[in-house]
Amino acid sequence: EACTAGPVTTESASSFVLIIARFISSCVAEQIRLAPDKFISVCKRFKDQVLLLEEPLRGIAPMLTAVRKLQSSTEHLTSLHPEFLLLCLLAKCYKTGLSILEEDIFEVDQPRDLYLYCYYGGMICIGQKCFRKALELLHNVVTAPMSTINAIAVEAYKKYILVSLIHYGQLSTSLPKYASGVAQRNLKSLCLVHFNSRTNDVEGFSYIELANSYNNGKIADLETYVQANMEKFGSDNNLGLVKQVVSSIYKRNIQRLTQTYLTLSLQDIANTVQLNSPKEAEMHVLQMIQDGEIYATINQKDGMVRFLEDPELYKTCEMIEHIDLSIQRLMTLSKKLTVMDELISCDPLYLGKAGRERQRFDFDDFDSVPQRFNI
């Protein structure tokens, strides 16, 4: 308790970090699980001192060890998961953070841990350009059960909008039905304004409007909107993502051309997509071919681009193995879902709540066939 109370000077922080790192490395998992709250408190203090020293890299390995020792299984989300991901984020060790993001989570100690885990995890995936996984994690924050709106969900929704535009080239403005009523009512409206910390004023400013400008496909309008609101995007720490949104609109416009044309010159692509030169159009097309975003060939002699169909026949050994692994994972998740559904259906709190919400008379309370017709 003395290690977690009171300020620590910069001079003593280094020795403190060394001592706790040794403790985390040598402690026995079975013993620290008997007093998890104290262990978590010490580890969080360790993280604070690492940040005080401005050396987040020093805390990554000990914190990962602490997470593994505290976990009862890989499906268990502990209070140290967000702390570990924050250190990875600040140290830009994104690949290390991805090591725990690949695990399926079914057991959560505190709701706030889940929000932060998914939010920090989404940012790590963005740093690695893993936009599909980033969308999945940010989507979990936005649609998680919540009785009141929280700042984590609001910031996650802003990034969710931007990543959707980068990855899919579009945005669905309506949340799924399983999102909480609080999120359905408030998230969209909270992303329509910006709070100016210098003037303490609320200014009209919309991430949804940015998405609408993107969907119009007019690059000049999108760039004008971004330039006019650059300071606001910067204060939200989303300027880097916004710039990637602007860059991705060129790709989306090129992809739209593949749906209309079989062949097209680089000059026509540059004119249609509003690029400066055929050479710049060629660089975009080559990068998209390399990333697997389009299928095409370029004739260097006459400067023509021929758009092709997806060459994947889905019958190679690698593809069959990939499909088989996906089926196995879905079967495992289905079994897990069935078990969780059975546990919830037997939970006294759930049954009490469900009973209170039932109408006084249900349709099933009455015989569907009159008694006189029964045989």
Side-chain angles (χ1 to χ4, degrees):
E1 293 180 0
C3 292
T4 61
V8 177
T9 62
T10 305
E11 293 76 14
S12 59
S14 183
S15 59
F16 174 86
V17 166
L18 184 60
I19 292 171
I20 300 302
R22 288 174 178 170
F23 165 71
I24 292 173
S25 176
S26 60
C27 67
V28 180
E30 289 75 11
Q31 292 181 347
I32 59 111
R33 287 175 193 161
L34 298 176
D37 293 339
K38 290 185 178 181
F39 182 71
I40 291 170
S41 180
V42 169
C43 290
K44 288 185 176 181
R45 184 68 168 178
F46 167 78
K47 181 263 301 182
D48 292 339
Q49 302 313 308
V50 167
L51 297 183
L52 177 65
L53 295 171
E54 297 182 353
E55 297 177 355
L57 188 61
R58 287 184 63 181
I60 290 177
M63 191 63 73
L64 178 58
T65 301
V67 167
R68 294 307 187 196
K69 289 190 174 183
L70 189 60
Q71 276 185 306
S72 56
S73 71
T74 56
E75 299 176 353
H76 177 209
L77 177 66
T78 71
S79 296
L80 296 182
H81 275 78
E83 310 295 338
F84 167 71
L85 292 177
L86 177 59
L87 290 175
C88 292
L89 198 59
L90 295 175
K92 293 183 171 57
C93 291
Y94 303 136
K95 288 186 178 180
T96 307
L98 286 174
S99 63
I100 66 170
L101 293 173
E102 296 172 352
E103 299 167 354
D104 293 318
I105 297 296
F106 296 102
E107 182 183 347
V108 180
D109 291 338
Q110 298 294 332
R112 186 173 181 273
D113 298 335
L114 177 64
Y115 292 133
L116 288 174
Y117 168 82
C118 292
Y119 180 65
Y120 291 149
M123 294 176 69
I124 285 174
C125 292
I126 290 170
Q128 281 292 98
K129 307 292 184 183
C130 301
F131 293 121
R132 182 184 296 274
K133 182 64 176 180
L135 276 175
E136 176 188 329
L137 292 167
L138 295 172
H139 179 86
N140 290 342
V141 181
V142 173
T143 59
M146 60 183 81
S147 56
T148 58
I149 204 70
N150 60 77
I152 304 172
V154 174
E155 295 305 314
Y157 188 56
K158 292 176 182 178
K159 287 182 170 58
Y160 178 79
I161 293 172
L162 299 176
V163 177
S164 294
L165 296 177
I166 294 171
H167 185 64
Y168 290 123
Q170 60 183 357
L171 171 71
S172 175
T173 56
S174 60
L175 293 175
K177 292 182 179 180
Y178 52 82
S180 67
V182 172
Q184 299 271 11
R185 291 190 300 269
N186 298 306
L187 276 181
K188 187 175 178 181
S189 60
L190 287 172
C191 290
L192 295 174
V193 296
H194 171 75
F195 180 74
N196 191 324
S197 58
R198 291 184 300 178
T199 62
N200 293 328
D201 293 329
V202 174
E203 304 168 343
F205 169 60
S206 173
Y207 281 78
I208 306 298
E209 189 174 341
L210 174 73
N212 293 335
S213 297
Y214 187 98
N215 291 333
N216 291 335
K218 297 180 180 179
I219 298 172
D221 292 346
L222 179 63
E223 290 180 338
T224 300
Y225 185 81
V226 171
Q227 286 293 332
N229 297 282
M230 186 170 291
E231 184 179 349
K232 299 170 186 176
F233 285 123
S235 64
D236 281 346
N237 295 318
N238 287 328
L239 186 56
L241 265 181
V242 170
K243 290 180 178 179
Q244 292 184 62
V245 169
V246 175
S247 298
S248 69
I249 194 172
Y250 294 101
K251 294 182 179 181
R252 298 307 163 209
N253 288 343
I254 291 174
Q255 284 181 328
R256 291 188 182 102
L257 295 177
T258 66
Q259 301 170 6
T260 308
Y261 301 96
L262 291 176
T263 58
L264 204 61
S265 69
L266 290 170
Q267 182 64 61
D268 289 336
I269 293 176
N271 294 338
T272 305
V273 183
Q274 303 174 39
L275 292 168
N276 296 324
S277 65
K279 186 65 177 177
E280 191 174 345
E282 182 181 6
M283 296 303 297
H284 274 85
V285 172
L286 286 173
Q287 186 62 51
M288 293 177 71
I289 293 173
Q290 182 179 344
D291 295 340
E293 295 174 332
I294 62 171
Y295 305 99
T297 58
I298 301 176
N299 189 325
Q300 296 284 352
K301 184 176 180 181
D302 55 14
M304 296 296 293
V305 179
R306 182 185 178 191
F307 299 115
L308 309 172
E309 296 292 333
D310 185 353
E312 178 59 64
L313 299 177
Y314 298 95
K315 62 180 183 180
T316 61
C317 293
E318 293 79 7
M319 182 55 68
I320 293 174
E321 183 179 358
H322 174 72
I323 294 173
D324 182 63
L325 289 174
S326 298
I327 293 173
Q328 294 296 329
R329 182 172 181 270
L330 287 173
M331 291 174 63
T332 301
L333 290 174
S334 177
K335 292 178 182 178
K336 177 69 68 173
L337 184 62
T338 301
V339 172
M340 294 178 68
D341 183 62
E342 291 175 352
L343 290 174
I344 291 174
S345 64
C346 297
D347 188 283
L349 294 176
Y350 169 77
L351 293 174
K353 182 173 176 25
R356 289 193 300 270
E357 291 182 351
R358 284 186 60 185
Q359 296 182 0
R360 185 175 181 183
F361 297 107
D362 289 338
F363 183 80
D364 293 335
D365 293 335
F366 301 94
D367 290 332
S368 57
V369 180
Q371 188 69 30
R372 60 192 179 89
F373 290 111
N374 288 347
I375 299 176

